[in-house]
């Protein structure tokens, strides 16, 4: 059997509180890149994929608890930095009487922001760049980093590409995390320039570029120089475009009742990447992404119980 492929997802996972403020709250965890890492590890289990989650945590018991849960999900955590005295970020989800969810964040001081606060090249991620087969990060990974850290992440991505690795960028544009649109546009342009695969949600592209016309934005996104581009459009068919520039349409899976769209795109990314790294075509990979994401939107929360997706996984190879 060939050697396993090593995939690294870089970003921030936060502590999550959910429930009644000043009442009973349930505590768990969440974050876009962590969700992708978990789905990727599940889809890649027994398929020769090793998935690392790279981030920074504190040296506190909550950080210990996060690390243990990631490991229980099959993720490798050797690239996680532990920063004494720092803490993970935190968010609270409250649901109002109409069922609308309201998010409040405490993440400005989160440990993950300081991942690259070291002399250049000194993080475990940079030290192991030569052994990374695929790197995945998102617009949120870029947004949480200070400008110098963002440059270090992009330089790392360039090194992974230069040594023949895959670099996947998932747009996940969150305007509140950016000081202004210009900073976000320039970081996103740098990311799509360095990536070999761009996973783009059309709504986020429209918000980033201020383009009210979906058709016009779609055209621009498909024309990116990135070798492989996937455009996700909720329940509308997914579009994939490989290096041959041919645009292909992949239907989504009809869902009678959408319960919660949290992590739809993250699960799509995990399944898509696992399928591509196994050698599937862009169309077959998008079908895997759509199938898993359709399952995820029928469940509350970001992470499906593993048993609820076991039937979607390929037989161990
Ligand atoms: P994001 O979650 O990144 O905002 P989308 O809303 O486009 O991205 O959803 C990502 C994927 O989730 C879609 O490509 C599709 O596969 C799936 N999905 C989302 N909403 C639905 C839906 N209503 N019915 C079926 N699939 C859906």
């Amino acid at each position: 059997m060939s050697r396993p492929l090593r995939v690294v997802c870089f970003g921030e996972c936060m502590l999550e509180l959910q429930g009644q403020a000043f009442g009973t709250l349930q505590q768990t965890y969440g974050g876009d890149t962590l969700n992708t890492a978990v789905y990727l590890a599940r889809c890649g289990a027994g398929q020769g994929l090793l998935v690392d989650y790279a981030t920074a945590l504190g040296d506190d018991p909550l950080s210990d608890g996060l690390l243990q849960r990631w490991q229980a999900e099959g993720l490798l955590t050797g690239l996680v930095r532990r920063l004494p005295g720092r803490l993970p970020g935190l968010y609270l989800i409250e649901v109002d009487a109409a069922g609308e969810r309201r998010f409040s964040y405490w993440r400005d001081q989160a440990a993950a922001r300081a991942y690259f606060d070291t002399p250049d090249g000194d993080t475990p991620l940079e030290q192991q760049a030569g052994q990374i087969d695929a790197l995945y990060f998102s617009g949120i990974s870029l947004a949480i980093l200070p400008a110098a850290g963002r440059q270090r992440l992009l330089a790392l991505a360039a090194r992974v590409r230069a040594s023949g690795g895959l670099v996947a960028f998932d747009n996940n544009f969150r305007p509140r995390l950016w000081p202004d649109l210009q900073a976000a546009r320039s970081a996103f342009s740098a990311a799509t320039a360095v990536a070999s695969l761009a996973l783009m949600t059309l709504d986020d592209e429209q918000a980033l570029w201020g383009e009210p016309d979906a058709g016009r934005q779609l055209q621009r996104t498909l024309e990116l120089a990135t070798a492989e581009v996937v455009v996700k459009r909720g329940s509308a068919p997914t579009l994939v475009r490989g290096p041959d520039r041919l645009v292909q349409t992949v239907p989504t899976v009809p869902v009678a009742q959408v319960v919660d769209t949290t992590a739809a795109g993250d699960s799509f990314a995990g399944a898509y990447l696992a399928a591509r790294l196994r050698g599937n075509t862009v169309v077959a990979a998008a079908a895997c992404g759509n199938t898993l994401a359709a399952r995820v939107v029928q469940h509350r929360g970001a992470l499906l119980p593993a048993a609820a997706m076991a039937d979607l996984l390929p037989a161990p190879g």
Side-chain angles (χ1 to χ4, degrees), residues 172 201 232-235 238 252-253 255 258 264-265 268 289-290 293-294 297:
N172 287 347
T201 299
K232 296 164 289 161
R233 304 182 296 167
S235 60
T238 306
T252 56
V253 176
V255 171
V258 173
F268 179 98
N290 284 338
V297 301

Side-chain angles (χ1 to χ4, degrees), residues 65-302:
L66 287 173
L67 209 63
Q68 284 158 11
R69 278 156 185 83
W70 302 344
Q71 288 163 352
E73 280 287 357
L75 298 176
L76 302 176
T77 55
L79 302 178
V80 174
R81 292 191 63 213
R82 305 294 301 267
L83 308 179
R86 300 291 289 253
L87 289 168
L90 170 74
Y91 63 101
L92 166 66
I93 309 176
E94 296 166 274
V95 183
D96 70 16
E100 283 298 317
R101 294 185 310 161
R102 184 189 133 92
F103 289 79
S104 308
Y105 292 94
W106 294 261
R107 70 193 304 190
D108 291 353
Q109 302 296 321
R113 295 183 175 244
Y115 189 85
F116 291 100
D117 289 3
T118 62
D120 198 7
D122 236 15
T123 62
L125 189 49
E126 291 164 302
Q127 283 164 359
Q128 297 192 32
Q131 287 117 62
I132 299 173
D133 297 297
L135 174 70
Y136 169 91
F137 64 98
S138 74
I140 298 177
S141 315
L142 292 174
I144 59 147
L145 292 172
R150 203 176 293 149
Q151 289 317 315
R152 295 261 292 273
L153 177 61
L154 292 168
L156 170 84
R159 281 178 63 196
V160 171
R161 282 297 302 286
S163 54
L166 181 160
V167 171
F169 173 64
D170 200 326
N171 63 347
N172 287 347
F173 173 52
R174 302 291 178 270
R176 280 198 307 188
L177 292 178
W178 292 94
D180 55 67
L181 267 178
Q182 204 37 55
R185 286 175 179 168
S186 119
F188 277 57
S189 296
T192 52
V194 79
S196 51
L197 163 62
L199 293 155
M200 310 302 253
T201 299
L202 189 59
D203 290 348
D204 290 16
E205 276 282 89
Q206 285 185 256
L208 176 68
W209 298 107
E211 173 55 76
D213 187 287
R216 266 207 304 265
Q217 183 58 55
L218 179 60
Q219 207 54 41
R220 275 174 56 190
T221 302
L222 288 169
E223 280 166 10
L224 280 170
T226 317
E228 187 169 323
V229 177
V230 179
V231 183
K232 296 164 289 161
R233 304 182 296 167
S235 60
T238 306
L239 300 171
V240 284
R241 201 268 284 137
D244 56 8
R245 313 301 288 181
L246 178 72
V247 178
Q248 299 183 80
T249 303
V250 184
T252 56
V253 176
V255 171
Q257 201 188 350
V258 173
V259 174
D260 180 358
T261 58
T262 305
D266 309 334
S267 60
F268 179 98
Y272 184 91
L273 266 177
R276 287 295 281 143
L277 291 166
R278 279 199 309 273
N280 287 286
T281 64
V282 290
V283 169
C288 290
N290 284 338
T291 304
L292 178 57
R295 186 72 59 88
V296 168
V297 301
Q298 295 178 69
H299 284 74
R300 195 159 295 288

